[in-house]
Amino acid sequence: MATNSKRIAAFDIGTVTCRLLLAEVQDGALHELERRCVITNLGVGVDKTGVLQEDAIQRVVAQIGEYVEIVNSYRDDKHPEIPIVAVATSASRDAKNSDVLVGKLRELGVELSVIEGEREAALSFRGASRGHKGENLLVADIGGGSTEVVLGVGGEAPKLAHSFNVGCRRMTERFYVSDPPVELELAQAHAWVQHEFKAFFEHAKNEGIAIDRIVAVAGTATSVVSMDKKMEVYDSALVDGVMVPGETLNSLYHQLSSMPLADRKQVVGLQPERASVIVAGLGILLEVLAAADCKSFTVSESDILQGLILDAYEQGK
């Protein structure tokens, strides 16, 4: 690495996961140094209560503390300071006490920004569209509390974006009472997603916005590949860029939706902590494909974290 390169860390605190990406950037090229993802479930109960639970806040604070130590371990003579960009998304947007989390992270030296859905969508598009320059893309970021859908040409600014309050934890807590969920619960959940998506996709069609490829980011999409390949140990290099046929997604959805939670936790390639929300995540992804009239999607390991780092690098020039 040249001496003028810059190391930047990004933290993404979502409804389900807490993630770290540490990268070295030089002349706009991003080289990953460290990537971590831990399920912390910050958004448990937020859809009903509008409040972050105290134990959930503590889980996130403890995890961010570990991430700060990791970042500090990469400091050296050439990189005495490593700026940290930290954002929180859907659960923190919805919670009236998210300032408590902001305050506790400030004590760790981390300034947390609770970003709006449109900003989240734009950053996700920037990260996910890397490697797809010139293609007409739909980027789908299915989170625990929200789903961001962004349309545009790879390498350019998004043409149309929306953040829907449709997420895998929100859906699970609203609709799935039985274990496993019964047909009526599954049908009601799908009808809800279809209703939420309808106006946006009709508008996109009326605007003549083409979609050549769906790029799906985040844990639901990566878990599809991991489960399909039966990965006992997750390997991002075997996941990034994989194209998944709709039939594969549909098969996994029907398989997992018929299993009780205890059995889903044993599925090879699925994090046990994600088992409680994976059926909803797969269901949302199926509805994205249906609404966009696409028969497959491409999984990307590049998402909001890469977008945050590139954005910070450019602002620091």
Side-chain angles (χ1 to χ4, degrees), residues 125 134-140 149-153 159-160 200-205 208-215 288-298:
F125 186 81
E135 290 188 54
N136 295 309
L137 302 177
L138 182 157
V139 171
V149 175
V150 198
L151 299 172
V153 177
K159 291 181 178 178
L160 193 63
F200 174 85
F201 281 94
E202 284 183 351
H203 177 60
K205 187 175 182 180
I209 299 176
I211 302 170
D212 298 331
R213 182 195 300 268
I214 291 177
V215 179
V288 171
L289 264 65
D293 195 23
C294 288
K295 300 188 184 307
S296 66
F297 65 95
T298 301

Side-chain angles (χ1 to χ4, degrees), residues 105-136:
L105 294 188
R106 184 172 289 136
E107 293 173 9
L108 296 177
V110 175
E111 284 296 327
L112 178 67
S113 298
V114 179
I115 60 173
E116 292 301 317
E118 287 68 25
R119 171 74 173 149
E120 181 181 358
L123 287 165
S124 291
F125 186 81
R126 174 155 197 192
S129 64
R130 294 171 67 220
H132 298 289
K133 190 172 182 179
E135 290 188 54
N136 295 309

Side-chain angles (χ1 to χ4, degrees), residues 39-222:
I39 292 177
T40 47
N41 283 320
L42 177 64
V44 170
V46 169
D47 186 52
K48 290 182 180 177
T49 67
V51 174
L52 299 174
Q53 296 179 7
E54 187 175 341
D55 58 340
I57 292 173
Q58 291 305 323
R59 286 195 298 271
V60 170
V61 171
Q63 191 57 56
I64 291 297
E66 290 184 23
Y67 286 170
V68 169
E69 290 183 7
I70 291 170
V71 173
N72 288 339
S73 72
Y74 278 84
R75 293 184 180 186
D76 56 26
D77 291 340
K78 293 181 180 177
H79 307 92
E81 296 297 328
I82 300 177
I84 294 173
V85 187
V87 299
T89 53
S90 180
S92 299
R93 285 196 293 268
D94 290 352
K96 53 193 170 205
N97 65 334
S98 57
D99 58 317
V100 175
L101 177 62
V102 172
K104 287 184 178 294
L105 294 188
R106 184 172 289 136
E107 293 173 9
L108 296 177
V110 175
E111 284 296 327
L112 178 67
S113 298
V114 179
I115 60 173
E116 292 301 317
E118 287 68 25
R119 171 74 173 149
E120 181 181 358
L123 287 165
S124 291
F125 186 81
R126 174 155 197 192
S129 64
R130 294 171 67 220
H132 298 289
K133 190 172 182 179
E135 290 188 54
N136 295 309
L137 302 177
L138 182 157
V139 171
D141 183 351
I142 298 169
S146 67
T147 292
E148 281 65 50
V149 175
V150 198
L151 299 172
V153 177
E156 300 179 10
K159 291 181 178 178
L160 193 63
H162 192 73
S163 179
F164 299 90
N165 282 328
V166 171
C168 57
R169 175 157 296 286
R170 195 187 299 269
M171 181 194 273
T172 301
E173 292 182 0
R174 283 194 186 186
F175 294 99
Y176 298 162
V177 178
S178 310
D179 181 28
V182 298
E183 284 299 322
L184 178 62
E185 294 166 2
L186 295 168
Q188 288 175 333
H190 278 273
W192 172 61
V193 179
Q194 290 166 10
H195 173 75
E196 294 294 312
F197 282 175
K198 186 177 180 181
F200 174 85
F201 281 94
E202 284 183 351
H203 177 60
K205 187 175 182 180
N206 291 336
E207 290 292 312
I209 299 176
I211 302 170
D212 298 331
R213 182 195 300 268
I214 291 177
V215 179
V217 301
T220 292
T222 58

Side-chain angles (χ1 to χ4, degrees), residues 31-46:
H31 307 275
E32 294 187 11
L33 300 174
E34 193 83 42
R35 179 201 288 259
R36 300 288 176 92
C37 177
V38 175
I39 292 177
T40 47
N41 283 320
L42 177 64
V44 170
V46 169

